[in-house]
Amino acid sequence: MSVWDEVVGQESAVSMLSTSATRAEAMTHAWLLTGPPGSGRSVAARAFAAALQCEQGGCGSCHACTTALAGTHPDVTLLATDKVVITIDEVRDLVGTAARTPTLGRWRVIIVEDADRMAERTTNLLLKSIEEPPPHTVWVLCAPSVQDVLPTIRSRCRAVVLRVPPADAVADLLVRRDGVDPAVALTAARAAQSHVGMARRLARDAGARERRSAVLDVARRIRGVGDAVLAAGELVDVAKAEAAAATEERDAAEKAELLRALGVADGETLPPKLRSQVKQLEEGQKRRATRRQRDVLDRAMLDLLSLYRDVLVVQLGADVDPVNTEHAGIVRDLARDSTPEQTIRRMDAIAVARQRLDGNVAPLLACEAMTIALRPQG
Ligand SMILES: [Zn+2]
């Protein structure tokens, strides 16, 4: 057993991080962990933190290891955000924490999960702490790619690049850790395109599999402009519902906690002078739901993209594993009824829709333009 067990398909990154963790003299105080979504950046960052705290360099079973992995080690601080930007106050707190000597462990480790979500002014604050770090402090910044962080930051960090893990390595983790049936695990790992969290959800949650199938079925159902507009509306509604389901419970808990902190009893009318604080919280929650909705829609678009990629593979007779093994029927029909050029145009339309979504175009508009471009062309 070791803290690296769940960092799958990342041999070179693991070897670099585990070697550094056990040789204090070779330690770097600032790391930049990059890799595409689902490659396991935050899992790798926590494993590294555990390896740093463990007397045996990451045994995976001692108290230091288990608490660091679980996020409860007092000397491991993790900043994860659902927000679009990390605020300057959050970073100021982190810099303050970074200056303190570790209480129990050998190092004080600060992990920032979405270092790409920092405004330049915020980054500058962080920069000072990274440039002259206290001797026992290690910063671990995570981002999708090196280009996503400012040059001033990346030039001061040691870079570790995670790759998209192979589907069979992800499937193996699901079997080993979650007890998933091997065949189901491989299908899920392929469908999730090796996104570890997504693969796990697909393997264990029938609802998630159904939602994904419904998205892929859009490709078959669209015959004309009317169907396209309807399908776009459905995609947006499903994303809204999924985002709401994921955030509702947490929103309510956060609000209850705030009211408690403000000294307002359950069911009591809110005094006017406290209203602005509650309103601020609610606005933040609304932004988070919007972000989540966009993420869910983007995932749906990626799923559709993977379907047309399979169609193109069939049309070109390429010797590549399909992503959507459970939807071979749709793939076959689409491959028969269209040309490779049309498939490429459809893939382009999906890529454009993703860009528009990222550029804050209204989700329904982005989806409609996409589904209209997906309909059969004579
Ligand atoms: Zn240990």
Side-chain angles (χ1 to χ4, degrees), residues 8-68:
V8 291
Q10 309 292 352
E11 290 75 15
S12 74
V14 166
S15 128
M16 187 196 264
L17 291 170
S18 60
T19 310
S20 304
T22 46
R23 288 178 36 227
E25 71 282 4
M27 193 53 197
T28 308
H29 291 272
W31 295 79
L32 177 59
L33 243 66
T34 60
S39 57
R41 292 186 303 252
S42 62
V43 177
R46 277 175 214 227
F48 184 42
L52 284 169
Q53 305 295 11
C54 174
E55 297 282 339
Q56 287 103 50
C59 67
S61 50
C62 72
H63 190 252
C65 280
T66 49
T67 52

Side-chain angles (χ1 to χ4, degrees), residues 167 185-195 202 212 216 299 302-311 313-314 320-328 331:
L186 188 59
T187 304
R190 283 201 179 132
Q193 297 181 68
S194 290
H195 186 300
L202 285 176
R212 188 172 185 279
L216 297 185
R299 170 49 56 179
L302 276 176
D303 286 339
L304 275 171
L305 201 56
S306 76
L307 186 81
Y308 287 107
R309 171 244 184 229
D310 285 352
V311 170
V313 165
V314 171
V320 186
D321 282 338
V323 172
N324 300 286
T325 41
E326 280 189 316
H327 300 83
V331 171

Side-chain angles (χ1 to χ4, degrees), residues 290-304:
T290 306
R291 184 185 165 87
R292 172 92 196 174
Q293 187 196 329
R294 282 175 192 272
D295 287 349
V296 173
L297 259 185
D298 190 57
R299 170 49 56 179
M301 290 175 181
L302 276 176
D303 286 339
L304 275 171

Side-chain angles (χ1 to χ4, degrees), residues 77-122:
T77 304
L78 178 88
L79 178 69
T81 189
D82 284 324
K83 287 178 288 191
V84 181
V85 265
I86 295 175
T87 64
I88 197 155
D89 288 337
E90 286 172 312
V91 172
R92 196 171 284 128
D93 282 351
L94 283 186
V95 168
T97 308
R100 300 208 303 267
T101 37
T103 51
L104 292 177
R106 306 189 302 153
W107 300 95
R108 180 164 291 285
V109 186
I110 315 270
I111 300 171
V112 181
E113 270 195 7
D114 301 283
D116 53 313
R117 296 188 196 165
M118 253 184 258
E120 189 161 357
R121 196 161 69 98
T122 315

